[in-house]
Amino acid sequence: MSRTTPARPLDVAALFPRLAPLARTATRLHPHPGSPSPHDSSVGGPLLWPADEPWPHCDGPHVWDRVNPALSPEDVRQRRRIRAAVASRPSGIPEMERYTPEERAIDQRIAAGRPWPDGPVPMLPVAQLYVRDVPQLRPPRAVNADLLQVLWCPFDHPAHPRTALYWRSAAEVTDVLAAPPEPSAIQFPGYLPRPCLLTPEQITEYPNLLELDEEDQQQLGEWHSWQPAEPAVDSSYRSAPEEFYMDQVSHAPGWKVGGWTRWGLTDPVDRVCEVCASAMDPLLTIASAEWDPSSESWIPEEDRARSIQTPADPQPWNPTMLDLARGYDLQLHVCPVSPDHRHLELVQ
């Protein structure tokens, strides 16, 4: 099934012509739970990884926070399956009584945690994107590739997972690694993505308010500037129309390739390559949620029927089950000059 972002309430570039040159194409990935294969674009799915190529490991350091028990990836998957089964049972029964004795025993064993890993940690697959599915995806210069693979270490370095990017030609992978290694423990359950298939969709985005110059910010903050577009403009934003711009027309929530950077945790900072000082390009946004109360107008048409929280689907806004920095996004930027130059990880 495709995913379709509802049309924006108005053409903001027609109302504010100074924004027109700032329009950018972004590709929303629209992850949804599924069973991807190595030949699919996916989040948290198996990678098309050559059997004769070493699996990437993280050398650390891996510091135990002594608050959260360390769980194995299979512990997390098992707990998710149990909680989904419990949620599907009659809600009139107290929650703990809805567990079978076997489920309760497994849950107690998982809660006890695992030993903290010693030595290098196998990285976890986060995303695999084929250029055929995301035409906007462009490999770095002088790289013959049609596939991007993103992995991370499931421990904080220092405040989020450390990521690794691999570009490759899918046609050159003739023998796929069948059983890649997994870490013996991960720091947080929210660092293990649930396998999801993707339905990419291209949209148009505009900059975050904080990236606009003072004149544009002032104009967007004046209600009379928006009045020619009434009734398309929600009058509840009368006291702060710039919030209407941010919530309804600037940039989309959720997983995406390209587009504009989302800010919120900090003010905008320069994104320049530490090697060559080139301006870095936004590559991939890894999101903790596909929408929130301020961005519900971005919910795809096909998902509106299931956008309400239910016991069986307690977080419909988070199909990947990721939780980064307590609900923020991890945005990856790359140098346009060389894939050998370190990419930038930005939490916002």
Side-chain angles (χ1 to χ4, degrees), residues 25-333:
T25 298
T27 300
R28 299 188 73 186
L29 297 180
H30 298 307
H32 53 282
S35 299
S37 79
H39 303 284
D40 293 315
S41 292
S42 66
V43 166
L47 303 184
L48 190 78
W49 195 270
D52 59 355
E53 183 176 325
W55 188 261
H57 286 63
C58 176
D59 293 328
H62 303 112
V63 181
W64 184 23
D65 62 11
R66 298 184 181 275
V67 175
N68 300 282
L71 307 180
S72 73
E74 187 52 35
D75 289 338
V76 176
R77 297 183 190 108
Q78 208 165 21
R79 177 173 275 180
R80 288 173 178 173
R81 289 193 294 267
I82 289 173
R83 290 182 175 176
V86 169
S88 69
R89 292 166 188 158
S91 58
I93 304 172
E95 182 177 3
M96 286 311 299
E97 294 182 18
R98 283 184 267 154
Y99 283 76
T100 67
E102 181 184 11
E103 290 169 343
R104 193 175 295 111
I106 293 172
D107 196 63
Q108 290 172 351
R109 193 268 303 160
I110 291 174
R114 300 274 183 175
W116 204 250
D118 183 20
V121 172
M123 301 187 91
L124 285 173
V126 178
Q128 175 168 269
L129 303 175
Y130 284 87
V131 172
R132 66 167 188 256
D133 299 322
V134 189
Q136 183 187 351
L137 202 60
R138 290 289 182 268
R141 298 174 190 171
V143 174
N144 180 25
D146 60 357
L147 177 61
L148 171 66
Q149 295 168 328
V150 182
L151 302 92
W152 67 26
C153 171
F155 292 87
D156 283 342
H157 293 275
H160 57 76
R162 176 183 292 162
T163 57
L165 308 181
Y166 292 85
W167 289 93
R168 67 175 76 253
S169 169
E172 294 178 1
V173 183
T174 56
D175 190 8
V176 181
L177 182 64
E182 285 197 327
S184 61
I186 64 177
Q187 190 166 12
F188 303 111
Y191 285 177
L192 180 69
R194 174 167 58 175
C196 287
L197 292 164
L198 308 177
T199 49
E201 175 202 20
Q202 289 193 334
I203 62 166
T204 299
E205 291 191 333
Y206 295 92
N208 184 287
L209 185 75
L210 297 176
E211 294 209 73
L212 297 174
D213 63 29
E214 185 175 349
E215 181 178 346
D216 287 333
Q217 290 188 33
Q218 182 177 353
Q219 189 176 24
L220 290 170
E222 295 173 345
W223 178 249
H224 67 79
S225 300
W226 294 88
Q227 285 182 293
E230 289 185 303
V233 185
D234 187 338
S235 61
S236 67
Y237 287 91
R238 181 184 297 270
S239 62
E242 69 276 13
E243 294 298 323
F244 177 81
Y245 171 77
M246 290 293 296
D247 294 347
Q248 307 292 336
V249 298
S250 60
H251 42 66
W255 285 71
K256 68 177 182 178
V257 169
W260 280 95
T261 301
R262 294 202 288 267
W263 301 98
L265 189 60
T266 70
D267 286 345
V269 297
D270 290 336
R271 288 133 288 164
V272 296
C273 176
E274 62 185 17
V275 177
C276 66
S278 297
M280 302 186 84
D281 296 331
L283 175 67
L284 175 67
T285 297
I286 300 169
S288 293
E290 290 301 296
W291 67 83
D292 61 27
S294 69
S295 61
E296 289 183 346
S297 73
W298 293 92
I299 300 174
E301 300 283 4
E302 296 82 359
D303 288 335
R304 290 190 169 270
R306 54 166 296 272
S307 64
I308 305 301
Q309 183 178 15
T310 65
D313 192 5
Q315 292 186 316
W317 54 84
N318 187 12
T320 65
M321 293 188 170
L322 289 184
D323 183 7
L324 294 164
R326 295 180 176 85
Y328 286 94
D329 300 338
L330 181 60
Q331 302 176 66
L332 307 183
H333 293 68

